[in-house]
Amino acid sequence: MKHTQRSDRGEPGIGSLDFIADLRKIVGRRHVLTRPASTYRYRRGYRFGAGAVQAVVRPGSLVELWRVAQACTRAGKIVIMQAANTGLTGGSTPDGNDYDRDIVLIGTLRLSGIHLIDQGRQVVCLPGATLNVLETLLSRIGREPHSVIGSSCIGASVLGGISNNSGGALIQRGPAFTEMALFGRVGIDGRLQLVNHLGIELGEEPELVLSRVEKGEFTAQDVRAAGKGHDADYARRIRDVDADTPARFNADAARWFEAAGCAGKLIVFAVRLDTFEKQKDPAVFYIGTNETDELERIRRDILTTFDELPIAGEYIHREAFDIAETYGKDTFAMIRYFGTRRLPLFFALKARFDIIAQRVPFLPAHLSDRLLQAASRLLPQQVPSRLRQYRDRFEHHLMLKVSSNMRSSAEQYLKEFFTHNSGDFFQCSNDEGARAFLHRFAAAGAAVRYRAVHSDTVEDIVALDIALRRNDRAWFEKLPAEIENKITLKLYYGHFFCHVMHQDYAVRKGYDAMAVEHEMLPLLDQRGARYPAEHNVGHLYEAPSAMLAHYRELDPCNCFNPGIGKATKKRNWVAESVEGCDASR
């Protein structure tokens, strides 16, 4: 007699083999991966998170994705959606092996379609569309997506940003957000339903709807106004520098709407988003100071007295500057010389090398990182000389990017400001400006490399993603000695005008990184900070009760991405799996 029970160790029974055979019929044998070596790079997070999966499935069409989701729902499987696997909090991979059902991880990168609407003023993006590809496509018509650098440098997907309310670096645009999406959800009855809130007439039958949106088989007459395509209120919020709350943070319920902020609790097939006119001939000013209050006064002055908001304002501390220069050098060089388009291929090759290296007992851990770090020493200097001179003079660095219209007023303001203050500034050449921002974004990956190379002295990384209050003048962290002594390295960098800071700590060998993090969080609570700011809770942060209620409403069976926000991984959101949703229907 056939059975579908799950072995505690995940060995497939007869029913499991039938299920895998069904998946292969839908997407083809080569796109259903079951061997641990084949699934490794999908089930291990970019920074955190790892666990076993029954299969990784890579559908080649939205109809295939729908059929895979149906098969998983009928079989009572957990589904984790994943695009580029670039998340920083482990939210698109399993977290351990204590789930009560088998996990099917669905990789969406083959579903990379993008359609322009209204001469490119809006776009429809499929699950595998990346920010980099979208940016390249829109640049041909003089427009930009919500985010143009940062996560796009490592191949992040558009839908990943929407699903996680990712923040982005651009001051005028706020968190990734839309009210227009096409998605599947499982109700309390256990049935998968397709919901079309794109504002595009596509018919009623699910597979027809999915086929038409994937092929772009709709006309301008099929498209109607249907809701917001970005967070249009953000520019007003960020200017309110005396508010006692952050400008943006992940648990802000005002930024949750169906697919926006769903964190993988829905199967999102497509989103419709606004695009933005591309700024021509922007200017970058590089600012250095040894006084944190000087940067805060610049922030407040520009946000409250200028008619136009800057494009971006990125902060990096001297120690993060140094670590990025050393441990992010190869990533910096690769992006500079080859662009971001090849990075996903690079990460895939690196993951395959790691799998092979792990099979050889006498090879050291993190061998690929160690080899890449050794090779990076042969590369020429990547950071421009004027930036390195400022590194020697100043502890705190700010990159201010403004439009051509704002260039002269910003320059005049900075000249007058530093006439009476201790810091200094200069206007970057185009090459210096591009490399300054690239160096800033290399800092995020540099912490991961540092941990790998120094595993003999570093226990682990604590990575915090913090939204400070808009009125917080004492924004630079001062840790108490009892925590400071447990840390070998601190990296501070962030989106300064938004008061969103990324803070990475290398914890000394022998100390529990999670315990160190738990010592830090009450200090942030005392400061009125909110966390995470823009990377979602994933499996690192405890979600507040309102966020968990939101997730339960989206996914009452807890069958999509269970366990995020440190919630239960059990079926139906209970401590132990009980009958409720009828997965057999």
Side-chain angles (χ1 to χ4, degrees):
M1 179 176 173
K2 292 184 179 181
H3 63 86
T4 58
Q5 279 73 29
R6 176 182 182 272
S7 164
D8 288 341
R9 297 185 179 274
E11 292 94 344
I14 299 174
S16 296
L17 294 176
D18 287 347
F19 172 70
I20 296 298
D22 289 342
L23 296 180
R24 287 171 172 159
K25 288 177 184 177
I26 297 171
V27 303
R29 175 174 291 271
R30 67 188 294 257
H31 295 297
V32 178
L33 312 178
T34 57
R35 293 187 300 109
S38 300
T39 61
Y40 176 83
R41 69 187 181 98
Y42 298 93
R43 55 186 173 82
R44 187 175 186 86
Y46 172 67
R47 263 196 178 180
F48 298 101
V53 298
Q54 184 179 11
V56 171
V57 186
R58 303 179 300 190
S61 71
L62 293 185
V63 170
E64 288 184 2
L65 174 56
W66 170 255
R67 292 174 180 173
V68 168
Q70 283 183 314
C72 292
T73 302
R74 285 194 300 266
K77 307 295 183 181
I78 287 171
V79 171
I80 297 178
M81 298 290 291
Q82 183 187 97
N85 192 14
T86 59
L88 301 183
T89 59
S92 60
T93 58
D95 180 54
N97 297 315
D98 56 342
Y99 295 82
D100 63 341
R101 292 150 287 167
D102 288 318
I103 297 173
V104 175
L105 195 154
I106 302 179
T108 64
L109 286 183
R110 296 177 68 206
L111 310 174
S112 58
I114 299 172
H115 305 298
L116 303 184
I117 296 176
D118 189 19
Q119 299 179 318
R121 293 181 179 86
Q122 289 189 326
V123 290
V124 172
C125 294
L126 304 190
T130 64
L131 286 167
N132 176 255
V133 172
L134 178 59
E135 181 183 348
T136 301
L137 176 65
L138 290 175
S139 68
R140 299 169 187 164
I141 57 173
R143 299 192 70 81
E144 291 179 337
H146 165 267
S147 181
V148 299
I149 197 168
S151 294
S152 57
C153 285
I154 52 175
S157 69
V158 176
L159 265 68
I162 293 295
S163 296
N164 294 302
N165 285 139
S166 297
L170 302 182
I171 294 172
Q172 302 167 15
R173 301 178 192 175
F177 179 78
T178 186
E179 295 178 345
M180 297 172 285
L182 175 66
F183 58 90
R185 69 183 300 269
V186 173
I188 194 65
D189 61 355
R191 297 178 185 272
L192 181 67
Q193 300 172 325
L194 185 68
V195 180
N196 180 10
H197 287 168
L198 276 177
I200 302 175
E201 181 56 50
L202 297 164
E204 297 295 332
E205 197 277 319
E207 293 197 1
L208 175 63
V209 170
L210 294 167
S211 178
R212 287 188 63 190
V213 75
E214 180 170 10
K215 296 175 183 176
E217 292 181 347
F218 49 85
T219 66
Q221 288 69 40
D222 295 322
V223 180
R224 65 181 186 278
K228 297 176 182 177
H230 78 284
D231 183 6
D233 188 49
Y234 187 70
R236 180 198 61 78
R237 292 203 311 279
I238 195 174
R239 284 187 182 274
D240 187 3
V241 297
D242 292 316
D244 198 37
T245 57
R248 57 179 169 98
F249 56 98
N250 199 251
D252 183 357
R255 254 42 70 184
W256 300 337
F257 193 92
E258 297 176 343
C262 74
K265 288 298 190 178
L266 300 171
I267 305 289
V268 184
F269 295 94
V271 294
R272 177 177 161 190
L273 305 165
D274 294 336
T275 69
F276 305 86
E277 186 175 356
K278 187 174 183 178
Q279 296 282 358
K280 297 179 180 178
D281 301 319
V284 174
F285 297 98
Y286 200 90
I287 300 164
T289 180
N290 291 312
E291 302 294 332
T292 59
D293 184 63
E294 290 184 1
L295 292 189
E296 182 59 23
R297 281 187 281 138
I298 290 172
R299 169 184 170 269
R300 295 175 68 89
D301 288 347
I302 290 178
L303 289 178
T304 57
T305 65
F306 281 66
D307 292 335
E308 182 180 340
L309 286 173
I311 298 170
E314 292 297 299
Y315 168 79
I316 187 168
H317 181 259
R318 176 187 281 157
E319 193 168 13
F321 185 110
D322 292 343
I323 294 300
E325 185 177 18
T326 301
Y327 296 93
K329 188 177 182 182
D330 53 325
T331 301
F332 186 124
M334 179 177 294
I335 296 171
R336 182 184 171 203
Y337 297 136
F338 303 108
T340 60
R341 182 172 55 90
R342 299 186 185 275
L343 278 184
L345 175 61
F346 166 76
F347 285 123
L349 293 174
K350 181 177 179 294
R352 288 171 187 160
F353 178 88
D354 288 336
I355 293 168
I356 295 171
Q358 285 177 349
R359 296 173 181 170
V360 183
F362 59 82
L363 291 179
H366 310 294
L367 180 60
S368 64
D369 284 293
R370 294 173 183 272
L371 292 174
L372 287 168
Q373 187 59 34
S376 71
R377 298 191 185 101
L378 304 177
L379 293 170
Q381 176 60 250
Q382 300 297 310
V383 181
S385 60
R386 285 207 288 181
L387 272 64
R388 287 185 280 113
Q389 290 168 9
Y390 263 49
R391 179 261 171 231
D392 295 336
R393 292 175 59 191
F394 302 115
E395 181 180 0
H396 306 283
H397 300 236
L398 178 66
M399 289 141 272
L400 179 64
K401 188 175 185 179
V402 301
S403 70
S404 56
N405 293 333
M406 192 176 171
R407 180 199 308 253
S408 60
S409 58
E411 183 177 19
Q412 183 61 36
Y413 165 78
L414 292 172
K415 284 180 179 178
E416 293 178 2
F417 183 88
F418 285 116
T419 299
H420 307 289
N421 290 281
S422 62
D424 204 351
F425 82 101
F426 65 89
Q427 183 175 335
C428 296
S429 67
N430 289 341
D431 179 63
E432 285 175 326
R435 286 205 264 172
F437 274 87
L438 182 51
H439 182 230
R440 149 64 187 90
F441 288 109
V448 178
R449 174 67 58 77
Y450 183 89
R451 174 182 62 181
V453 173
H454 296 280
S455 57
D456 55 334
T457 59
V458 175
E459 188 69 35
D460 207 345
I461 295 289
V462 170
L464 298 180
D465 169 27
I466 301 161
L468 301 174
R469 295 171 299 161
R470 283 167 280 178
N471 65 351
D472 192 348
R473 293 178 181 268
W475 56 271
F476 191 71
E477 181 178 66
K478 303 294 184 184
L479 289 173
E482 59 268 23
I483 297 178
E484 189 86 43
N485 293 336
K486 300 173 185 177
I487 295 169
T488 64
L489 180 76
K490 297 178 296 185
L491 304 187
Y492 295 115
Y493 52 96
H495 315 307
F496 187 67
F497 280 70
C498 306
H499 258 195
V500 166
M501 301 298 295
H502 301 296
Q503 302 181 176
D504 298 340
Y505 311 85
V507 178
R508 290 183 189 277
K509 199 74 174 177
Y511 289 100
D512 186 310
M514 187 64 68
V516 172
E517 179 178 341
H518 288 167
E519 290 183 70
M520 293 176 171
L521 297 183
L523 301 177
L524 295 174
D525 295 336
Q526 292 170 16
R527 297 172 62 190
R530 299 296 297 267
Y531 48 87
E534 60 180 5
H535 289 148
N536 207 288
V537 290
H539 292 288
L540 284 184
Y541 297 93
E542 183 174 341
S545 58
M547 179 175 273
L548 291 179
H550 171 61
Y551 292 158
R552 286 194 296 268
E553 182 179 0
L554 293 177
D555 178 22
C557 291
N558 204 23
C559 52
F560 297 146
N561 208 10
I564 57 168
K566 299 189 179 297
T568 177
K569 297 175 180 177
K570 305 297 185 182
R571 190 194 304 268
N572 302 329
W573 296 92
V574 294
E576 296 297 333
S577 184
V578 298
E579 294 299 323
C581 297
D582 185 357
S584 65
R585 296 194 203 184

